[in-house]
Amino acid sequence: MQGDELAAAVIAGDRRALARAITRVESARADHRAEAVALVAAARAAGRQALRIGLSGTPGVGKSTFIESFGMMLVEQGLRVAVLAVDPSSARSGGSILGDKTRMERLSREPAAFIRPSPSQAQMGGVARRTREAVALCEAAGFDVVLVETVGVGQSETVVAEICDLFILLLAPAGGDELQGVKRGIMEMADMILVNKADGDLKPAALRTRADYAGALHLLRRRPQDPEGFPKAVCVSAVEQSGMAEAWADMQALAVWRKREGHWSARRAHQARHWFAEEVRQGLLAVLEREPAKGSMAALGREVEAGHLSPEAAAARMLGLLGRA
Ligand code: GDP
């Protein structure tokens, strides 16, 4: 299928075409890139927007269970839901395979849902681009909500926050009364904290954890893009499916407020600019791998290490090579 034909099929809501289009943007081959860029541009021209929700949490907090439960609720409300994953490690260990369909059994059988597991790609730049383009393709295909799942390991969260409209942190109840070592940077990115597993014996701990985080969020910040009451920490149970409707109502309220106040479009505009600069940066790094610069980064690095060249002089020489590439 030609690129524009494929884009048209994606826009028409053909799920197989969507899967194929995502495979195209995932291709690492340089000669596929121009085609992928054209494909995404054609898809974006449809002018559709989904609510993009980033969801992060360490392995075991219940991301798959939550997405299954939350996604089913949205589907039952008549919404179309896409699930994508950003896996920062190609090593899929620890039992946490992101976007694994077998762990979202009901949702994966729903015609109104589309689940795409993460490709095994180690390089963060590639993963970020692929995810951004896959999100754009899902939007063009008419999905109302695009959930982007990631594990809590720093860099991937920053990427997801720069792709999504809302960033949600999923936590499990803590044993003690200390915060669970969640990095300040991640707390600062979170629009909502959902404390999962607020059921059975874990409920009291979940309530305590929620209160701790609500306090921490309150102390930490009030950003211009937060209405009164946000960022928020609430309890949910993915297993009992409790708190789901309330969490969704909060997310919608936040989205509506941000749209009305102009923060929504400002955030997307800022993100577009960020990714433009990032693409240029990645492109420049790729140039360094080509002649006549090839190998020079490593060679000059050794010279700097040996004390034969200053870092600045070596960098100037490197950039000089770039000019001729
Ligand atoms: P992920 O690694 O973050 O995707 O976590 P999973 O969704 O695989 O869940 C990890 C474990 O936590 C599983 O044994 C789930 O059954 C359990 N779990 C998930 N959500 C809940 C919940 O709401 N309540 C309780 N009690 N257990 C849960």
Side-chain angles (χ1 to χ4, degrees), residues 177-195:
D177 56 0
E178 81 287 4
L179 302 186
Q180 297 161 58
V182 175
K183 290 195 197 74
R184 189 188 166 115
I186 294 167
M187 296 274 288
E188 280 168 352
M189 285 189 292
D191 293 305
M192 279 184 75
I193 286 179
L194 304 184
V195 181

Side-chain angles (χ1 to χ4, degrees), residues 65-248:
T65 316
F66 175 81
I67 292 171
E68 165 97 337
S69 184
F70 187 71
M72 283 305 297
M73 180 192 72
L74 298 182
V75 165
E76 279 157 15
Q77 290 182 13
L79 297 170
R80 297 181 69 211
V81 181
V83 180
L84 303 170
V86 175
D87 194 346
S89 61
S90 47
R92 300 184 180 184
S93 53
S96 184
I97 304 167
L98 297 177
D100 183 1
K101 291 183 194 175
T102 62
R103 301 166 87 214
M104 302 170 192
E105 229 178 288
R106 287 170 62 215
L107 192 62
S108 64
R109 285 200 301 266
E110 280 295 330
F114 176 85
I115 302 177
R116 180 79 175 194
S118 48
S120 48
Q121 235 184 39
Q123 211 210 356
M124 207 59 218
V127 173
R129 175 198 280 160
R130 167 262 172 197
T131 309
R132 250 181 304 128
E133 294 182 333
V135 166
L137 291 168
C138 290
E139 287 192 317
F143 285 92
D144 302 293
V145 176
V146 180
L147 278 166
V148 185
E149 177 193 11
T150 192
V151 284
V153 288
Q155 206 189 355
S156 67
E157 275 147 335
T158 313
V159 165
V160 172
E162 285 285 359
I163 290 173
C164 292
D165 303 310
L166 305 179
F167 184 74
I168 311 289
L169 182 61
L170 198 65
L171 294 175
D177 56 0
E178 81 287 4
L179 302 186
Q180 297 161 58
V182 175
K183 290 195 197 74
R184 189 188 166 115
I186 294 167
M187 296 274 288
E188 280 168 352
M189 285 189 292
D191 293 305
M192 279 184 75
I193 286 179
L194 304 184
V195 181
N196 190 31
K197 310 194 184 183
D199 50 50
D201 294 346
L202 290 168
K203 193 158 188 179
L207 291 171
R208 226 172 24 240
T209 303
R210 191 213 71 82
D212 290 345
Y213 278 94
L217 282 173
H218 187 71
L219 282 180
L220 210 58
R221 63 158 211 252
R222 169 92 197 272
R223 306 172 305 181
Q225 66 267 39
D226 295 328
E228 193 62 44
F230 283 90
K232 210 172 222 185
V234 301
C235 282
V236 297
S237 165
V239 163
E240 290 187 348
Q241 304 189 5
S242 60
M244 295 286 146
E246 292 82 355
W248 174 232

Side-chain angles (χ1 to χ4, degrees), residues 238-281:
V239 163
E240 290 187 348
Q241 304 189 5
S242 60
M244 295 286 146
E246 292 82 355
W248 174 232
D250 283 333
M251 290 178 211
Q252 284 178 296
L254 182 56
V256 165
W257 184 86
R258 284 193 180 158
K259 276 185 178 162
R260 201 181 57 224
E261 301 294 318
H263 294 296
W264 175 285
S265 51
R267 179 168 170 142
R268 286 208 173 189
H270 168 87
Q271 289 174 337
R273 189 168 182 160
H274 167 87
W275 290 116
F276 154 68
E278 192 54 35
E279 281 288 313
V280 172
R281 217 168 282 136

